Amino acid sequence: MQKYQLMATAAAGIEALVGKELRRLGYDTQVENGRVRYQGDMRDILTTNLWLRTADRVKIIVGEFTARTFDELFEQTKALPWESFLPVDAEFPVEGRSHHSQLHNVPSVQAIVKKAIVQRLSEVYHRRTRLPETGALYSLEVAINKDQAMLTLDTTGDSLFKRGYRRNKGGAPLKENMAAALVLLAHWFTDNPFVDPVCGSGTIPIEAALIGHNIAPGINRSFACEQWTNLTPAGLSDEVRDEADAQADYDVELDIHGYDIDQNMIDIAQENCRAAGLTHDIAFKQLAVKDWHTDKINGVIVANPPYGERLSDHEAVHELYRQMGDIYRPMTTWSKYILTADLEFEKYYGAPATKRRKLYNGALRTDLFQYWGKKKR
């Protein structure tokens, strides 16, 4: 099978985790801002789409070159072997981005790239009329940064955070790949308790259970490349999916709890949990942070509490942080990982974090405040 230059895109601050996931899957990687490069064929493309928990998309890098003029952009785009990717009936919309570059007019950049590809394909396929674009979807992107153009083909379709289990969500839901990143950063071992005290729609506990059972996060959804009959051999998708399914360990017993003060959110979390097929693995219960106590040891708490973005909410949110500190500080064998955009969190919690890590929840700067426990043997 044809080998491609590939990249997995990721939110700022998550790239190293994506790189670690890819290395665990057996790939050599190059971690860059917002992406991780690697190589692979269609089997690898399907495998990484299925297994990457923290990435956004898997893309084929069709070409890279310097372009300071529209002529350069057109000629170098046209010179790429588009017929190796796009059949005569391909539907191929072109998205564009440009930063700190001579070619800063994005609509013009998109139009030039589209025109160059159409001309190349028309010549190769001997078409005098317009290309039909009635077939499978091949989404293309031209990204120009400091005059360096990169043209990519998206193999994923809907972003990888869309696992397919979220039937309902609350007011400020955490994306599934960010939730998975928090679980991975917590270094949770499946024989220890896992608690999300402000679970909302249940995303963090559900991602923990998927990790605990080694269930491929993309197993219940489809990918754009599965429709590419010119590139994806018949039966390959089923083969890769069967291999992924065989690696799941449904027998491991997990101790995962999700709590929320709002019963409506607990109902939503349970609905999402059922859709993920994890009803017997997670216990959801309506409970306020201040009312939770446990005798268990060596656990992990992962929480994404409200940030108090509205001025009227600040006092209530700071009180919640104080309650967290009062209850969690004495729990010395437990590790606590709390994500918030409130950079004064430690002041209200009542203790400095062992470590802070900057992450972006969408465009919002947040910090993961980490309090490492001392495990009791």
Side-chain angles (χ1 to χ4, degrees):
M1 267 187 287
Q2 173 75 39
K3 282 264 188 189
Y4 302 105
Q5 298 296 321
L6 304 174
M7 71 177 189
T9 62
I14 301 294
E15 306 95 339
L17 277 179
V18 176
K20 194 178 283 187
E21 284 194 86
L22 282 165
R23 286 190 294 277
R24 199 175 292 131
L25 289 168
Y27 300 97
D28 292 328
T29 63
Q30 184 180 327
V31 178
E32 301 174 358
N33 284 340
R35 64 192 180 210
V36 182
R37 294 176 185 253
Y38 62 111
Q39 292 182 351
D41 57 21
M42 281 310 302
R43 175 182 287 275
D44 299 307
I45 288 168
L46 285 163
T47 298
T48 50
N49 269 306
L50 271 175
W51 279 104
L52 287 176
R53 299 182 189 278
T54 57
D56 288 324
R57 297 179 180 281
V58 172
K59 296 184 171 189
I60 296 171
I61 301 171
V62 180
E64 295 178 87
F65 48 80
T66 302
R68 294 189 180 87
T69 68
F70 285 125
D71 279 347
E72 287 178 343
L73 179 64
F74 181 89
E75 292 301 337
Q76 293 188 85
T77 298
K78 190 186 170 194
L80 295 170
W82 292 103
E83 66 278 6
S84 300
F85 301 94
L86 308 177
V88 66
D89 66 345
E91 180 188 353
F92 57 101
V94 177
E95 291 290 317
R97 285 186 292 130
S98 180
H99 298 286
H100 312 300
S101 299
Q102 298 281 328
L103 302 178
H104 52 80
N105 186 311
V106 173
S108 297
V109 164
Q110 291 171 181
I112 292 288
V113 167
K114 179 80 175 189
K115 185 179 176 185
I117 299 169
V118 166
Q119 199 166 113
R120 168 89 184 202
L121 293 180
S122 295
E123 288 173 10
V124 170
Y125 293 130
H126 308 293
R127 298 283 301 198
R128 291 218 176 107
T129 55
R130 288 181 62 172
L131 295 168
E133 294 207 44
T134 53
L137 179 65
Y138 296 73
S139 296
L140 303 175
E141 183 185 65
V142 49
I144 308 179
N145 187 33
K146 297 177 182 173
D147 300 323
Q148 297 304 303
M150 177 188 278
L151 277 77
T152 56
L153 170 59
D154 174 32
T155 72
T156 302
D158 283 341
S159 177
L160 289 175
F161 80 81
K162 295 189 176 178
R163 315 285 205 226
Y165 64 72
R166 186 131 76 179
R167 295 290 182 267
N168 213 326
K169 55 191 181 184
L174 196 66
K175 285 181 178 175
E176 290 87 329
N177 50 4
M178 176 63 87
L182 298 183
V183 177
L184 293 174
L185 288 169
H187 303 293
W188 168 61
F189 292 96
T190 55
D191 53 350
N192 293 329
F194 183 99
V195 172
D196 180 352
V198 283
C199 70
S201 58
T203 310
I204 293 174
I206 290 170
E207 290 297 320
L210 291 174
I211 290 167
H213 283 306
N214 198 37
I215 296 170
I219 201 73
N220 289 320
R221 54 158 291 174
S222 60
F223 306 103
C225 60
E226 290 175 289
Q227 304 301 315
W228 300 348
T229 53
N230 63 319
L231 298 179
T232 307
L236 181 63
S237 177
D238 289 340
E239 197 179 305
V240 173
R241 286 176 177 278
D242 288 345
E243 285 171 10
D245 208 24
Q247 291 181 55
D249 182 355
Y250 296 102
D251 296 328
V252 64
E253 290 198 14
L254 304 175
D255 182 359
I256 301 176
H257 286 75
Y259 303 102
D260 201 279
I261 197 168
D262 184 349
Q263 180 61 49
N264 181 50
M265 293 311 302
I266 292 298
D267 293 341
I268 289 172
Q270 287 170 331
E271 183 186 352
N272 291 337
C273 189
R274 275 193 300 276
L278 298 166
T279 309
H280 302 297
D281 299 290
I282 309 168
F284 288 106
K285 184 180 177 184
Q286 188 266 321
L287 193 72
V289 165
K290 64 183 175 60
D291 296 328
W292 178 71
H293 300 281
T294 185
D295 296 325
K296 295 174 184 175
I297 61 167
N298 298 342
V300 168
I301 290 168
V302 178
N304 175 39
Y307 305 155
E309 287 163 301
R310 291 196 302 267
L311 208 58
S312 58
D313 296 337
H314 279 201
E315 205 170 307
V317 167
H318 291 159
E319 178 57 28
L320 175 66
Y321 298 163
R322 275 190 284 269
Q323 291 169 1
M324 285 181 159
D326 292 345
I327 292 165
Y328 303 158
R329 281 198 314 273
M331 296 167 58
T332 54
T333 72
W334 283 66
S335 291
K336 286 78 73 169
Y337 294 79
I338 299 161
L339 183 76
T340 174
D342 189 335
L343 303 186
E344 289 192 305
F345 172 80
E346 293 157 304
K347 182 173 103 179
Y348 299 101
Y349 183 86
T354 315
K355 185 180 179 183
R356 286 169 63 165
R357 183 176 181 133
K358 183 165 66 174
L359 299 172
Y360 282 86
N361 185 8
L364 184 66
R365 152 80 189 270
T366 60
D367 276 34
L368 182 63
F369 293 88
Q370 306 172 40
Y371 296 85
W372 299 345
K374 290 181 180 166
K375 284 206 166 26
K376 201 170 180 180
R377 301 285 174 203

